[in-house]
Amino acid sequence: MNLRADLIFASEQRSANVVSLRSITRVASIVGPVIAAGLIAFIVMNALTLANKVKNIEREWLDTEPRKEQALKVLNAGGINDDILSEIETWRHSSVDWAPQFLSIQESISPNIQLDSMRISQTLKQNDKGIAARSFTLSLAGKAVGKAAETAVEGLQKHFIESTDFKDLIASAEIPRYGADPDDKNNRIFQLNCEYTLSLFE
């Protein structure tokens, strides 16, 4: 005859399972708050880090703002200088190189001609496309002496029209005044106006 006596209360009996509901509950009650605290700490640390980054960026912005203003001023001044330089270049391109032309006149003028004045004038005009240009006029005044006076004046006019030094530059060469010299009837007083082709500002 076998007798069995249970000396353990039912409340003290343990389950044979490796994991019980009670153990899970106990682990959860300990681990859960730890994980929550870790998450909260992580979020707080991230927030503090971001706040520091924002402060650093704001500080850098405050440091670079004056530099930005200075850079904008320099760029603006550079743009103005570029505009001035461009305008100077357009004036240079529209100018005429007078030295070789004066030399050509000196070498080709007839001994029968005595120049009293040589004047250069300019006006601002527009070509047929509306582009601004400079219009130059070279005026020569003087007297032609001797029997070949008329031939000498015509030869000077022809030089401006046909010579390689002037033919690509001169639009017209006209003699608005030609007549006898009051002091000497054998001499002729003349004026020769040479109008240049338009010099564009480009």
Side-chain angles (χ1 to χ4, degrees):
M1 178 175 177
N2 294 325
L3 294 175
R4 179 181 176 184
D6 290 329
L7 302 178
I8 300 175
F9 293 108
S11 60
E12 296 177 347
Q13 294 179 358
R14 295 182 178 178
S15 172
N17 295 331
V18 178
V19 179
S20 66
L21 181 60
R22 182 178 293 179
S23 63
I24 293 175
T25 303
R26 287 180 181 176
V27 171
S29 64
I30 296 173
V31 175
V34 173
I35 294 175
L39 287 174
I40 292 172
F42 178 75
I43 293 172
V44 171
M45 291 299 295
N46 268 352
L48 293 175
T49 302
L50 289 174
N52 287 332
K53 287 183 178 179
V54 169
K55 288 181 180 179
N56 290 334
I57 292 173
E58 289 177 347
R59 191 179 299 109
E60 290 177 1
W61 174 257
L62 291 176
D63 291 339
T64 57
E65 184 68 17
R67 297 178 185 176
K68 174 189 173 185
E69 294 296 330
Q70 186 65 27
L72 290 175
K73 290 179 181 179
V74 172
L75 287 174
N76 186 39
I80 294 174
N81 291 338
D82 288 342
D83 292 340
I84 294 174
L85 178 60
S86 177
E87 185 171 349
I88 292 174
E89 287 294 324
T90 59
W91 278 92
R92 184 177 66 84
H93 292 158
S94 64
S95 64
V96 175
D97 188 4
W98 297 105
Q101 298 179 55
F102 293 157
L103 183 61
S104 177
I105 295 173
Q106 180 184 6
E107 292 175 347
S108 63
I109 198 166
S110 170
N112 297 77
I113 291 180
Q114 300 174 0
L115 290 180
D116 295 329
S117 68
M118 181 168 57
R119 182 170 57 90
I120 298 172
S121 60
Q122 72 160 5
T123 57
L124 297 180
K125 295 183 178 181
Q126 289 184 340
N127 66 359
D128 53 356
K129 296 181 179 179
I131 300 176
R134 298 166 76 183
S135 175
F136 293 96
T137 301
L138 174 64
S139 296
L140 302 177
K143 67 176 64 175
V145 299
K147 296 181 179 180
E150 184 175 354
T151 302
V153 173
E154 290 177 350
L156 181 60
Q157 180 185 28
K158 185 177 180 181
H159 178 71
F160 282 103
I161 296 174
E162 298 181 357
S163 71
T164 56
D165 295 326
F166 289 99
K167 67 178 182 180
D168 294 331
L169 300 174
I170 300 297
S172 64
E174 299 178 352
I175 303 175
R177 187 179 64 164
Y178 183 83
D181 184 357
D183 298 332
D184 189 340
K185 299 299 181 180
N186 294 322
N187 299 335
R188 295 293 180 265
I189 295 176
F190 73 93
Q191 179 177 339
L192 174 62
N193 293 339
C194 300
E195 185 175 348
Y196 282 67
T197 57
L198 295 180
S199 298
L200 302 180
F201 288 96
E202 56 178 26

